[in-house]
Amino acid sequence: MANTENAEIGVIGGSGFYSFLDDVTEIQVATPYGAPSDSLFLGEIAGRRVAFLPRHGRAHHLPPHRINYRANLWALRSVGARQVLGPCAVGGLRQEYGPGTLLVPDQMVDRTKSREQTYFDGMPLPGGQVPNVVHVSLADPYCPVGREAALAAARGQDWEPVDGGTLVVVEGPRFSTRAESLWHQAQGWSVVGMTGHPEAALARELELCYTSLTLVTDLDAGAETGEGVSHEEVLQVFASNVERLRGVLFDAVAGLPENGARDCLCAKALGGMDPGFELP
Ligand SMILES: [Zn+2]
């Protein structure tokens, strides 16, 4: 029988994704970095053990800049997850990426300001272990295998995804000014969000496969002609697409390789370097 306190795959997303699963086990996980956003909710999809973590907390009380990203990724790894799917809501930076567009990015730009974004910060862990100075490659921030699974899952749901593009991550919680938005567009970036960084970077440091699935909920300020983005608009589009997105996530989970069979760059991100502490 499967251990109900273990998982092989992590999904960082809200309660809409797991609330109707049978036999969901809720567990609290402590980490050296403090508490994750919420409990982990463990369940099974297509014979795979999955841990769901509501990124903003189940009551959605954590704004993007207050999320304990280090604790979140650490907690997922500590229950056994080695592959992580990170769906998130974004603004479209091009007219053709309107609300309801599903874009699986292959690049990321960090424009955040205040976030703990590394495990290799020289600070001793509570157990006394001191991280070494380690620089991982983030040239390709997303798992190529996870991306293919996500794209295939979307096509299987008749939701033609945008394959590739750049996710620019801003600090928030405010939306962009028109000038910022126009600048993002002029760089050729595709979508703008608030949580993609440091999630992908931290996952790489822990040798986790990480795949971002972005759902466009609105056109960003510079790409539309009206009053600009409203919070209600974002929530509405997200709510109306949750069911579809859940279908894509579940099929993506089913399409991921066994953890032991990973041979992508993510699984070897430390390249044999000693992190100075034991990975959970
Ligand atoms: Zn990978």
Side-chain angles (χ1 to χ4, degrees):
M1 195 179 133
N3 182 341
T4 54
E5 302 216 335
N6 268 287
E8 44 183 327
I9 294 157
V11 174
I12 305 178
S15 56
F17 297 130
Y18 62 81
S19 50
F20 69 99
L21 283 180
D22 297 330
D23 298 325
V24 174
T25 308
E26 176 176 351
I27 62 167
Q28 290 180 348
V29 180
T31 85
Y33 304 94
S37 294
D38 206 324
S39 304
L40 299 186
F41 296 85
L42 283 74
E44 198 168 302
I45 298 166
R48 314 293 299 273
R49 299 284 310 162
V50 182
F52 290 88
L53 172 58
R55 186 186 276 120
H56 298 275
R58 79 186 81 182
H60 210 94
H61 65 289
L62 292 168
H65 64 291
R66 290 284 179 211
I67 292 168
N68 191 339
Y69 295 96
R70 290 198 295 187
N72 286 355
L73 275 303
W74 190 279
L76 287 172
R77 183 166 169 118
S78 72
V79 298
R82 295 293 179 269
Q83 302 176 80
V84 176
L85 301 175
C88 64
V90 295
L93 290 171
R94 298 183 197 175
Q95 290 285 341
E96 64 266 33
Y97 299 160
T101 300
L102 182 67
L103 184 145
V104 181
D106 60 354
Q107 278 300 321
M108 191 268 294
V109 171
D110 167 27
R111 294 206 60 241
T112 66
K113 297 180 169 72
S114 71
R115 306 177 183 190
E116 299 287 358
Q117 52 175 290
T118 181
Y119 295 102
F120 303 115
D121 61 355
M123 298 293 288
L125 274 66
Q129 298 167 300
V130 182
N132 287 329
V133 176
V134 173
H135 307 277
V136 297
S137 169
L138 202 62
D140 295 299
Y142 304 115
C143 177
V145 179
R147 289 191 70 256
E148 285 309 318
L151 292 165
R155 291 182 185 120
Q157 299 273 337
D158 284 329
W159 192 358
E160 189 54 39
V162 179
D163 177 1
T166 299
L167 165 65
V168 51
V169 185
V170 296
E171 180 71 5
R174 68 172 179 85
F175 293 117
S176 301
T177 66
R178 241 176 262 283
E180 288 166 340
S181 189
L182 288 168
W183 176 56
H184 294 163
Q185 284 175 61
Q187 302 311 305
W189 302 334
S190 314
V191 290
V192 55
M194 296 180 190
T195 57
H197 183 78
E199 232 161 63
L202 292 168
R204 183 61 54 82
E205 288 190 347
L206 293 183
E207 295 192 329
L208 299 168
C209 292
Y210 180 86
T211 304
S212 171
L213 294 89
T214 72
L215 170 65
V216 176
T217 52
D218 56 274
L219 281 174
D220 208 47
E224 53 81 58
T225 49
E227 297 293 303
V229 182
S230 84
H231 188 55
E232 289 69 40
E233 189 184 0
V234 169
L235 292 180
Q236 233 171 44
V237 175
F238 199 81
S240 66
N241 282 282
V242 155
E243 208 169 315
R244 263 205 315 171
L245 190 54
R246 184 169 56 213
V248 172
L249 283 170
F250 283 19
D251 289 353
V253 161
L256 290 174
E258 298 291 325
N259 282 339
R262 292 192 302 156
D263 67 350
C264 43
L265 70 166
C266 334
K268 307 180 270 281
L270 297 177
M273 286 179 287
D274 173 15
F277 57 87
E278 208 171 316
L279 296 186

